[in-house]
Amino acid sequence: AHSADQAWRKDMPGSPVKDIRSAISLNDRVFFINNLFDEDAQAFVNALSSINAMSTLDEVVAFVTEQYPHWDLNSDIVYRFMMAVRRKVSE
């Protein structure tokens, strides 16, 4: 799919959060660490710290595509992760 077609770019995120960690449930946290971060909890924490310092979705997408080129941006798990991101950053 064309990058602009990704559902997480268009779907309405939940209420805004100041810290992305509060947008991620414990279950999703484990799911993300195991599936997106190769079971490396510290890599997950580091990624969230980086994302917390960003203010736009474009910044996060650039970061994710550079740091995690193996992620399938059309997958359900990346959808869940990016919807959490969108609660933290603006368009």
Side-chain angles (χ1 to χ4, degrees):
H2 183 261
S3 62
D5 295 339
Q6 288 146 353
W8 49 259
R9 293 178 184 270
K10 298 190 284 286
D11 291 359
M12 285 299 299
S15 51
V17 293
K18 294 216 183 309
D19 184 330
I20 186 174
R21 285 173 295 207
S22 54
I24 298 174
S25 70
L26 187 60
N27 284 348
D28 273 356
R29 182 186 167 90
V30 172
F31 188 53
F32 293 153
I33 290 169
N34 289 345
N35 295 281
L36 291 179
F37 295 93
D38 301 322
E39 301 182 10
D40 184 342
Q42 190 57 51
F44 173 75
V45 168
N46 293 347
L48 295 193
S49 296
S50 298
I51 290 168
N52 267 333
M54 300 174 189
S55 54
T56 68
L57 184 59
D58 285 344
E59 276 181 278
V60 179
V61 172
F63 167 76
V64 163
T65 50
E66 183 179 307
Q67 297 292 317
Y68 313 106
H70 58 288
W71 285 13
D72 174 1
L73 297 184
N74 297 301
S75 65
D76 288 344
I77 186 168
V78 171
Y79 173 86
R80 281 162 68 175
F81 186 81
M82 295 304 288
M83 288 304 285
V85 165
R86 287 198 49 210
R87 292 179 60 188
K88 166 64 181 80
V89 301
S90 56
E91 286 309 312

